[in-house]
């Protein structure tokens, strides 16, 4: 048994279904962000910047790319003999075999991992938010209040509070009520899904509620501890925090990186964001290319015009291409004369010559209007768009599509084109 003051358990197994075609083959925390990063880089970087050197990453849905990205944790200085990063998928036990069925259930299934380090405190994190936070400061706050549980919270607009677990506190920030996604919220102080538990309390609570179906922190563990009269405090965070759980919020968060004065700064020396970096060729920008307000990843070749966009690594943008207000992820190829307006193009996509994305009027998507909206065009990874076709807004495309899939060379706004096998 190895003694650690605090270890982190990072929940990274979610599908992220509200990201639609972007997560058809990859877990949400492994989705590209900001040109060179993946979403999980942010909580992992927060851990090492905060001095938390033992991190269990709980994976489940489509884990291959996530596992490959994390590896043994070298980019985050988490390749340690004692501690470091460990990938924790569900596994078969001697008397049972089950998937992770809830956030708390996932932690419960890894009690043995936590017991090995015998920590005083356990930090529970989500793997799907963009933010910078010093968890050491939160731990000091936890200790100063002699808290059993500390919940990181953030003020949100009152009209959005129903989407979150919200807390009601007294004048000392002690939580007196906790409501999970209330229809009529009485507070706008939202839980960020970041918790510090005293280890013994966490263990006792998980064992007590181990038979609870879909055991979840917000719905079950926190209310149970509150009923037991435990000291639960709200740690109010006032920095940048973005839940990139929808396509529009994901697109918006990327666009905020290229503001003249970005609210979220990727370039701070004292709080770096680390990532796995492949060894690829330098960028090349042709003499006739035009770039304005854009992030361009390593290894990309730019011959066309890029405005107000985030371009990943190893992307090819051909001659006479025009890209506006878009995200183009790693390894994609945009061929000569293509025009892309307000789109999210996933990894290793091919957009052929003179194709146009984001034309026409905005119409609700016919299959998933709650996912594909705000005028975005979404193209799933490895998809192919043929030459000379025109594609409307609020459209989703997946698979290798051909000219026959576009009657009269046009896919109207609001359509979903998904080839078999995708």
């Amino acid at each position: 048994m190895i003694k650690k003051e605090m270890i982190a358990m990072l929940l990274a197994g979610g599908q992220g279904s509200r990201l639609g075609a972007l997560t058809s083959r990859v877990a949400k925390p492994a989705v590209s962000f900001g040109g060179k990063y993946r979403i999980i880089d942010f909580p992992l970087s927060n851990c090492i910047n905060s001095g938390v050197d033992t991190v269990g990453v709980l994976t489940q849905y489509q884990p291959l790319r996530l596992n490959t990205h994390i590896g043994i944790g070298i980019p985050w200085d988490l390749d340690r003999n004692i501690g470091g990063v460990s990938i924790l998928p569900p596994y078969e036990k001697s008397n049972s075999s089950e998937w992770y069925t809830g956030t708390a259930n996932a932690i419960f299934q890894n009690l043995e991992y936590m017991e090995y380090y015998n920590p005083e405190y356990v930090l529970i994190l989500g793997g799907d938010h963009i933010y910078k936070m010093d968890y050491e400061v939160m731990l000091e706050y936890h200790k100063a209040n002699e808290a059993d549980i500390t919940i990181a919270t953030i003020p949100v607009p009152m009209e959005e509070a129903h989407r979150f677990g919200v807390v009601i506190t007294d004048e000392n920030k002690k939580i007196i009520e906790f409501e999970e996604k209330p229809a009529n919220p009485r507070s706008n102080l939202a839980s960020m899904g970041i918790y510090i538990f005293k280890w013994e309390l966490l263990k006792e609570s998980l064992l007590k509620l181990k038979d609870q179906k879909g055991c979840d922190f917000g719905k079950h563990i926190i209310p149970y501890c509150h009923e037991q009269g435990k000291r639960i405090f709200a740690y109010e965070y006032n920095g940048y925090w973005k839940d990139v759980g929808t396509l529009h919020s994901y697109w918006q968060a990327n666009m905020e990186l290229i503001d003249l004065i970005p609210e979220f700064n990727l370039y701070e020396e004292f709080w770096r964001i680390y990532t796995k970096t492949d060894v690829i060729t330098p960028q090349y920008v042709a003499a006739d290319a035009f770039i304005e307000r854009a992030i361009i990843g390593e290894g990309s070749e730019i011959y066309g015009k890029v405005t107000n966009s985030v371009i990943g690594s190893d992307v090819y943008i051909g001659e006479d291409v025009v890209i506006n207000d878009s995200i183009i992820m790693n390894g994609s190829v945009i061929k000569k004369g293509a025009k892309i307006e307000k789109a999210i193009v996933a990894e290793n996509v091919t957009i052929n010559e003179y194709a146009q994305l984001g034309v026409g009027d905005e119409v609700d998507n016919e299959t998933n209007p709650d996912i594909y909206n705000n005028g975005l065009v979404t193209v799933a990874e490895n998809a192919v768009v043929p030459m000379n076709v025109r594609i409307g807004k609020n459209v989703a495309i997946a698979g290798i599509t051909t000219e026959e899939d576009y009657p009269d060379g046009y896919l109207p706004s609001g359509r979903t084109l998904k080839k078999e096998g995708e």
Side-chain angles (χ1 to χ4, degrees):
M1 188 179 288
I2 301 166
K3 185 68 175 176
K4 289 278 185 179
E5 182 182 33
M6 185 166 76
I7 65 171
M9 300 295 280
L10 203 166
L11 296 156
Q15 179 179 355
S17 57
R18 292 181 300 157
L19 287 180
L22 295 189
T23 51
S24 61
R25 293 186 174 187
V26 61
K28 179 179 170 183
V31 171
S32 295
F33 183 84
K36 68 179 291 182
Y37 303 100
R38 298 191 184 276
I39 294 172
I40 199 169
D41 291 335
F42 295 87
L44 282 176
S45 296
N46 288 341
C47 283
I48 200 63
N49 287 331
S50 302
V52 180
D53 65 3
T54 304
V55 184
V57 180
L58 286 67
T59 63
Q60 180 159 280
Y61 173 80
Q62 297 278 21
L64 178 60
R65 190 171 304 164
L66 196 62
N67 296 354
T68 303
H69 180 68
I70 294 171
I72 60 172
I74 291 173
W76 306 273
D77 192 27
L78 288 170
D79 51 328
R80 308 290 181 99
N81 289 328
I82 299 174
V85 67
S86 301
I87 305 293
L88 303 172
Y91 61 94
E92 188 170 356
K93 293 84 174 171
S94 58
N95 59 351
S96 68
S97 178
E98 62 175 318
W99 294 106
Y100 297 149
T101 59
T103 55
N105 175 265
I107 301 296
F108 167 73
Q109 290 195 45
N110 289 281
L111 275 178
E112 190 175 338
Y113 171 82
M114 294 183 286
E115 284 178 329
Y116 178 74
Y117 293 104
N118 189 30
E120 292 180 48
Y121 309 99
V122 178
L123 172 66
I124 311 292
L125 302 171
D128 52 5
H129 298 122
I130 306 299
Y131 67 108
K132 298 175 184 178
M133 180 188 283
D134 191 336
Y135 304 132
E136 190 173 19
V137 174
M138 183 176 170
L139 178 59
E140 291 304 315
Y141 177 87
H142 180 84
K143 292 177 182 176
N145 285 298
E146 299 181 349
D148 296 306
I149 306 169
T150 297
I151 302 175
T153 61
I154 190 167
V156 298
M158 201 66 181
E159 61 272 16
E160 294 182 18
H162 68 278
R163 296 175 43 225
F164 300 90
V166 296
V167 302
I168 298 169
T169 66
D170 65 16
E171 65 277 7
N172 298 315
K173 296 297 181 184
K174 184 178 180 182
I175 294 173
I176 54 177
E177 288 189 57
F178 185 91
E179 299 177 322
E180 180 66 13
K181 297 182 180 178
N184 298 298
R186 291 179 290 148
S187 165
N188 71 330
L189 204 55
S191 168
M192 298 169 67
I194 300 169
Y195 314 106
I196 292 178
F197 277 81
K198 283 185 176 177
W199 160 233
E200 291 301 327
L201 173 61
L202 177 62
K203 182 178 177 181
E204 183 266 321
S205 304
L206 292 171
L207 288 169
K208 183 73 175 178
L209 298 179
K210 63 184 175 65
D211 296 323
Q212 173 67 53
K213 186 176 180 181
C215 193
D216 180 85
F217 280 101
K219 293 177 183 175
H220 305 113
I221 297 293
I222 301 296
Y224 166 77
C225 292
H226 187 258
E227 288 169 8
Q228 299 301 307
K230 301 302 180 183
R231 291 176 60 82
I232 308 176
F233 280 79
Y235 173 74
E236 191 168 333
Y237 175 75
N238 290 298
Y240 181 95
W241 179 76
K242 198 79 166 185
D243 178 352
V244 288
T246 66
L247 285 170
H248 183 250
S249 64
Y250 172 80
W251 174 84
Q252 195 173 46
N254 274 273
M255 294 300 106
E256 287 171 352
L257 297 175
I258 49 179
D259 285 343
L260 193 60
I261 302 176
E263 189 178 348
F264 187 76
N265 189 351
L266 289 172
Y267 309 104
E268 289 173 334
E269 282 292 321
F270 70 92
W271 200 271
R272 290 188 177 181
I273 304 301
Y274 301 95
T275 189
K276 177 186 175 187
T277 302
D278 296 321
V279 179
I280 51 182
T281 57
Q283 298 167 347
Y284 175 75
V285 179
D288 295 334
F290 177 88
I291 299 173
E292 183 176 58
R293 286 183 63 183
I295 291 174
I296 309 292
E298 294 98 327
S300 292
E301 291 183 54
I302 313 295
Y303 297 90
K305 180 179 180 180
V306 178
T307 305
N308 206 55
S309 296
V310 175
I311 310 298
S313 301
D314 210 23
V315 170
Y316 176 88
I317 296 174
E319 294 178 4
D320 300 321
V321 167
V322 177
I323 298 176
N324 294 318
D325 302 324
S326 296
I327 301 164
I328 313 293
M329 296 189 198
N330 303 346
S332 288
V333 174
I334 317 298
K335 294 186 178 179
K336 182 176 181 177
K339 289 182 170 50
I340 300 177
E341 189 79 33
K342 199 177 182 184
I344 301 174
V345 176
E347 299 187 37
N348 301 311
V349 167
T350 300
I351 308 292
N352 279 295
E353 291 88 345
Y354 302 104
Q356 297 181 49
L357 281 66
V359 302
D361 296 327
E362 191 171 333
V363 175
D364 286 347
N365 184 266
E366 60 188 2
T367 55
N368 290 294
D370 292 338
I371 294 176
Y372 304 111
N373 48 42
N374 286 283
L376 283 163
V377 180
T378 306
V379 186
E381 67 176 57
N382 301 316
V384 174
V385 174
M387 63 189 301
N388 292 319
V389 299
R390 298 168 63 245
I391 296 167
K393 299 174 181 178
N394 296 334
V395 163
I397 296 172
I400 299 174
T401 66
T402 62
E403 293 177 13
E404 289 73 27
D405 298 312
Y406 301 80
D408 300 320
Y410 181 50
L411 185 66
S413 294
R415 296 291 179 86
T416 297
L417 175 55
K418 186 178 180 182
K419 293 302 290 280
E420 194 166 340
E422 286 301 309

